[in-house]
Amino acid sequence: MVKLNENYQKLQGSYLFSQIAKKVNAYAAQNPDRTIIRLGIGDVTRPLTHSVISALHSAVDEMADEKTFRGYAPDLGYDFLRHAVCENDYRARGCNIYEDEIFISDGAKPDSGNIQEIFDDDNVVGVCDPVYPVYVDSNVMAGRCGDFDEKTGRYDRIVYMPCTAENGFVPELPQKRCDIIYLCFPNNPTGAVIRKEELQKWVDHANANGSVIIFDAAYEAYIKDPGVPHSIYECSGARECAIELHSFSKNAGFTGLRLGYAVVPKDLVRDGVSLNSLWARRHATKYNGAPYIVQRAGEAVYSEAGKAEIRALVDYYMENAAVILSGLKKAGYTVSGGTDSPYIWLKTPDDMSSWKFFDQLLENAGVVGTPGVGFGACGEGYFRLTAFGSHENTAKAVERICAL
Ligand code: PLP
């Protein structure tokens, strides 16, 4: 008889968004005339930009011609895209990153789920609480998290780093040993950001302890404050301790197209081995590369026209964030985030549980948000709203919430 990976059975319930979908579908079936407004799931809604579409068309034409047809992509990604990433996301910001340290992928979710494979199962993982669930779930699948304690809502081998109103949703350095530390700023779900001097402390801590930081920069395009770093490599010493993950999803709308990249510097060495060489080995063996046409679309994001279009896209969503923030503040809610990120973190009124607030919002306002507790125990009593809707729906949703 085949034996299953028992670690999968330690995963808690269904993935947060399947649970939400179930509730929303049931509500929609019972209320067929009610328009539901989704300000919950972190998917974008604006179409791809002109430069991206035009690059896709040209690349498709190339695939139709035997002289320009492309088969398997190079393991690390096409040079043209790695060059564009390196120049624009790193060199232009004064970060010392090289093209052969950039690994093109099909997104930050697969990268954040897969990167743990290059580490031993014995390592202790540190995560922010609340946090994007993929970091914990992928380590649970790998058997690194111990058992789940129903009472605390936590795995007993993970080090949780609370992000609360008291610390401005930026965690303190962990007191316990962590070998792998996941940081995500701007943060999903709280919308919090970390200032450069604060992030520098994490880099120094990781270098002092021999740990590795996995820095998820999926939302860096939303940063407006000049004191907030776009990349961990803006901090000195980060080449020796940090891996960075990027996505084309939330800036350029590639959630359906799929494109991202990981940066694994050659100076990141543990046990005498460069992690860059391990990730290259994994890429060569377990990954088929992002499609050529998608990589060309990614390159177009870095053209002058492409950059202007992305700025407009981000501004569009940030106008929504401003509408949500000001509307809810006026209505007396306690809200944070939403100024350098597309997420607004709302404290539920009267210490209501976050699922109860979810139900209330759906039933009384027809608005879907995300219960904070779905991102960790410290998310209880909080609720995530996203800026990824249309202007019209966002304004309508805010109106409905305020009328509750
Ligand atoms: N990282 C974070 C923190 C996210 O919130 C998300 C999506 O919501 C992702 C990564 C997924 O990125 P991608 O679409 O590139 O897989």
Side-chain angles (χ1 to χ4, degrees):
M1 261 274 273
V2 69
K3 281 192 179 166
L4 300 180
N5 179 348
E6 62 181 23
N7 297 317
Y8 271 60
Q9 294 174 49
K10 293 184 180 173
L11 289 166
Q12 288 314 295
S14 60
Y15 189 58
L16 171 67
F17 295 109
S18 338
Q19 226 165 315
I20 292 174
K22 241 188 248 165
K23 280 184 180 258
V24 174
N25 291 344
Y27 175 83
Q30 282 159 12
N31 301 276
D33 300 329
R34 181 76 154 142
T35 344
I36 296 174
I37 305 177
R38 291 163 205 274
L39 288 190
I41 293 165
D43 200 356
V44 295
T45 53
R46 307 299 299 158
L48 295 168
T49 66
H50 175 74
S51 303
V52 166
I53 291 294
S54 150
L56 283 169
H57 280 300
S58 313
V60 167
D61 288 342
E62 284 182 65
M63 295 299 249
D65 184 332
E66 68 180 321
K67 288 196 250 16
T68 48
F69 167 80
R70 313 274 185 137
Y72 284 122
D75 292 341
L76 269 59
Y78 283 100
D79 287 348
F80 60 78
L81 181 55
R82 289 160 62 223
H83 177 72
V85 165
C86 196
E87 288 303 314
N88 290 281
D89 289 348
Y90 295 103
R91 293 308 175 122
R93 291 188 176 125
C95 301
N96 224 4
I97 291 295
Y98 302 90
E99 288 175 27
D100 57 0
E101 297 174 327
I102 294 163
F103 297 76
I104 303 300
S105 75
D106 54 346
K109 179 178 177 180
D111 277 346
S112 60
N114 293 329
I115 195 80
Q116 47 77 28
E117 274 190 27
I118 60 173
F119 300 101
D120 189 273
D121 289 352
D122 206 33
N123 286 297
V124 174
V125 172
V127 292
C128 293
D129 179 4
V131 80
Y132 179 53
V134 172
Y135 315 142
V136 171
D137 286 354
S138 55
N139 279 288
V140 170
M141 290 165 172
R144 213 172 271 122
C145 300
D147 293 318
F148 187 74
D149 181 338
E150 294 286 350
K151 266 200 224 119
T152 58
R154 291 174 157 185
Y155 290 91
D156 58 18
R157 236 186 133 250
I158 288 197
V159 174
Y160 292 89
M161 308 180 297
C163 299
T164 60
E166 287 70 40
N167 59 25
F169 304 103
V170 176
E172 280 93 34
L173 294 174
Q175 299 293 319
K176 289 192 201 150
R177 186 194 110 219
C178 291
D179 303 303
I180 306 168
I181 297 171
Y182 288 84
L183 292 179
C184 170
F185 289 104
N187 185 265
N188 175 14
T190 64
V193 289
I194 190 164
R195 303 194 69 76
K196 188 171 168 188
E197 57 276 17
E198 278 299 309
L199 187 56
Q200 184 65 57
K201 287 185 199 163
W202 285 85
V203 168
D204 295 343
H205 174 84
N207 277 326
N209 293 290
S211 39
V212 171
I213 297 174
I214 297 167
F215 189 78
D216 189 337
Y219 298 98
E220 69 69 26
Y222 289 84
I223 295 170
K224 291 227 165 15
D225 184 336
V228 174
H230 289 250
S231 163
I232 196 166
Y233 303 115
E234 290 176 44
C235 295
S236 60
R239 283 184 56 81
E240 284 82 32
C241 70
I243 290 171
E244 184 163 283
L245 310 178
H246 269 253
S247 170
F248 286 72
S249 287
K250 308 302 166 90
N251 58 344
F254 280 38
T255 53
L257 214 48
R258 310 302 310 142
L259 191 66
Y261 65 85
V263 180
V264 188
K266 290 190 175 153
D267 295 346
L268 179 47
V269 175
R270 294 290 180 270
D271 281 344
V273 178
S274 153
L275 273 60
N276 177 286
S277 67
L278 296 186
W279 194 237
R281 192 69 183 79
R282 189 201 178 278
H283 248 49
T285 306
K286 301 181 95 172
Y287 179 60
N288 261 331
Y292 173 69
I293 58 172
V294 177
Q295 294 198 41
R296 278 293 185 202
E299 181 191 29
V301 167
Y302 295 102
S303 65
E304 282 315 307
K307 283 187 210 168
E309 290 163 354
I310 298 313
R311 266 196 303 276
L313 212 48
V314 167
D315 286 348
Y316 180 93
Y317 292 132
M318 289 312 281
E319 283 170 32
N320 286 342
V323 167
I324 299 172
L325 269 180
S326 69
L328 295 188
K329 267 187 201 163
K330 230 183 264 165
Y333 288 94
T334 303
V335 280
S336 58
T339 52
D340 296 276
S341 90
Y343 293 122
I344 290 93
W345 195 232
L346 175 157
K347 181 149 179 35
T348 60
D350 308 320
D351 291 328
M352 196 184 292
S353 84
S354 44
W355 273 112
K356 188 165 177 212
F357 189 70
F358 174 93
D359 291 336
Q360 200 176 77
L361 214 58
L362 180 60
E363 273 153 35
N364 302 333
V367 173
V368 182
T370 316
V373 72
F375 300 97
C378 290
E380 183 52 292
Y382 284 88
F383 202 74
R384 189 191 76 172
L385 292 168
T386 75
F388 291 127
S390 65
H391 282 344
E392 192 192 349
N393 277 349
T394 304
K396 219 185 282 172
V398 171
E399 220 171 86
R400 287 189 194 176
I401 298 173
C402 293
L404 279 179

